Amino acid sequence: MLALVRARGSARVADLARELGISPVTLRRDIEAMAARGEIQRMHGVISRLETVPAGTEAGTGAGTAGRDRGRGTGADAGGLVVGMVVPTTEYYYADVVRGAREVVEARGARLTVGLTRYLAGEDRTQAERLLSTGADGLLLTPNWEAGAPGPGEGAWTAELPVPAVLVERWAPPGHPAASLDRVASDHADGAARAVRHLAGLGHRRIALASRETPTSGRLRTGFAAAVAALGLEPAPPWPAAGAGASAGADAAAGAASLTEAEAFARALEYLCAAVTESGVTAALIHSDTDAIMLIPRLQARGVRVPEDLAVITYDDEVAGLADVPLTAVAPAKREVGARAAGMLLDRLEDRGTGREGPRQHLDLLPRLTVRP
């Protein structure tokens, strides 16, 4: 390693680990020892020859290394980066997202700290500022945007942060300040289209989508409608959240958000019953798994047999396999979203220290369809 660094002048830790065929964690232990002996300099994931050490640094004592830890006594590994992650929760959907991010961050010798918002208004920015105040070098952000994207005048603060940031499972439309940020998200539109294609392949011609309003539902509806049109299927009755006196778009979302859990569940049940018995719907994509598992016995109690009268695919695949009859489901690549976002942010932080910062990236990961008998 020392010979390579001396020959090249500097090298990224991640590149050296791949070239030498060892893990970044093992390599970083050697780097710690070599830096303490004054043989190399390290900063932001890059190591370089000793002659690039700033004047006044004492080699061989370890003091220079401590002095280059950006003056931060935060408990982070010496010279290691700190990644802050703002998410609504560490349960259900985001448990795997956080797990994937943590695995990558720790494998590359950095440390992950998490701030939870519980979907409270303004708490996303509060948590981001808190993580920055405790020494975060970069941020993974899942802002509290109800539609998965910022509304008018919302979210500009994410593009004004003093450190690199990556949006996780969120996106911003072209022209919005946050559209210039790196982002990694599940392609929920593609996930819905996969479900429609599978059901159409089984012979279903009229398919419904049942989804309460979530940051995911807008993209699901986009992909669902596009697949129905592309396959020439017969449209199902509109989801009642966009009717019943409410206009489509923001008003519909506001109306749905005002419903209690019981009211939203009852609306889904009534919609599906009517769709089958009155409109000839024979299949449905239901978001989420838990809603589907609760709806199926109630549908059957109303005379709608599953799957004989209504074939069901669920979206999320958290517990679909645990239903009385295991359900076919679409699964976003949650852990991979977290892992790719963390890797993207760490690459950005390391490249910033070398002056080789590349273009921004928008990465959409395709969900997986798991067919269960």
Side-chain angles (χ1 to χ4, degrees):
M1 177 175 65
L2 186 58
L4 290 172
V5 174
R6 285 175 173 169
R8 299 172 184 175
S10 66
R12 294 176 56 195
V13 174
D15 293 341
L16 281 175
R18 284 192 294 269
E19 187 171 347
L20 297 173
I22 60 178
S23 73
V25 173
T26 299
L27 184 62
R28 287 179 188 278
R29 286 198 292 265
D30 293 336
I31 290 171
E32 293 286 338
M34 295 171 69
R37 293 194 299 267
E39 296 171 337
I40 58 172
Q41 176 192 10
R42 62 190 172 169
M43 185 188 306
H44 299 297
V46 176
I47 57 177
S48 55
R49 294 182 303 206
L50 178 63
E51 57 262 35
T52 62
V53 177
T57 299
E58 294 183 12
T61 65
T65 299
R68 287 191 299 275
D69 286 341
R70 297 180 298 284
R72 186 173 64 241
T74 63
D77 294 337
L81 295 168
V82 177
V83 173
M85 187 172 194
V86 178
V87 288
T89 175
T90 54
E91 301 169 353
Y92 194 57
Y93 191 101
Y94 286 98
D96 275 346
V97 177
V98 174
R99 191 174 295 117
R102 186 179 298 280
E103 289 170 355
V104 168
V105 167
E106 292 181 351
R108 291 177 61 169
R111 181 167 65 91
L112 183 73
T113 58
V114 176
L116 303 181
T117 68
R118 298 294 181 185
Y119 294 102
L120 298 176
E123 189 64 19
D124 44 8
R125 185 170 187 174
T126 298
Q127 289 297 323
E129 292 173 348
R130 180 185 67 80
L131 291 171
L132 289 175
S133 72
T134 59
D137 296 287
L139 294 173
L140 301 173
L141 295 175
T142 304
N144 292 331
W145 298 339
E146 288 187 3
E154 183 182 22
W157 64 270
T158 59
E160 300 168 355
L161 294 165
V163 301
V166 176
L167 294 178
V168 181
E169 292 291 23
R170 294 292 186 266
W171 63 280
H176 189 280
S180 64
L181 294 175
D182 291 312
R183 70 174 184 241
V184 181
S186 298
D187 191 339
H188 297 304
D190 178 83
R194 284 173 186 259
V196 173
R197 287 197 302 269
H198 177 74
L199 291 168
L202 296 176
H204 297 283
R205 301 297 301 168
R206 182 165 289 179
I207 303 167
L209 169 63
S211 172
R212 67 181 70 193
E213 294 297 329
T214 71
T216 302
S217 59
R219 305 299 286 176
L220 288 179
R221 292 196 182 99
T222 297
F224 180 88
V228 167
L231 295 169
L233 303 180
E234 301 170 10
W239 175 245
S247 61
D251 290 341
S258 66
L259 296 176
T260 66
E261 288 287 319
E263 289 170 338
F265 185 79
R267 176 172 290 195
L269 178 60
E270 293 300 329
Y271 169 73
L272 289 172
C273 284
V276 173
T277 60
E278 300 173 13
S279 302
V281 166
T282 61
L285 172 62
I286 300 178
H287 178 226
S288 62
D289 300 350
T290 52
D291 279 6
I293 289 175
M294 293 177 65
L295 281 166
I296 287 172
R298 290 162 176 79
L299 286 167
Q300 292 173 331
R302 298 276 293 271
V304 177
R305 298 170 300 165
V306 177
E308 293 86 355
D309 300 324
L310 183 70
V312 170
I313 291 182
T314 71
Y315 198 86
D316 272 356
D317 204 12
E318 292 281 349
V319 293
L322 304 179
D324 291 342
V325 176
L327 300 169
T328 293
V330 177
K334 308 177 193 73
R335 184 183 294 228
E336 188 68 12
V337 166
R340 293 291 188 94
M344 189 179 290
L345 179 60
L346 289 169
D347 288 345
R348 182 70 63 193
L349 289 168
E350 293 175 0
D351 287 348
R352 189 174 63 166
T354 66
R356 299 197 308 267
E357 189 169 358
R360 303 293 179 183
Q361 301 179 64
H362 291 169
L363 178 61
D364 290 332
L365 301 185
L366 304 185
R368 180 185 67 254
L369 175 69
T370 298
V371 179
R372 298 185 173 97

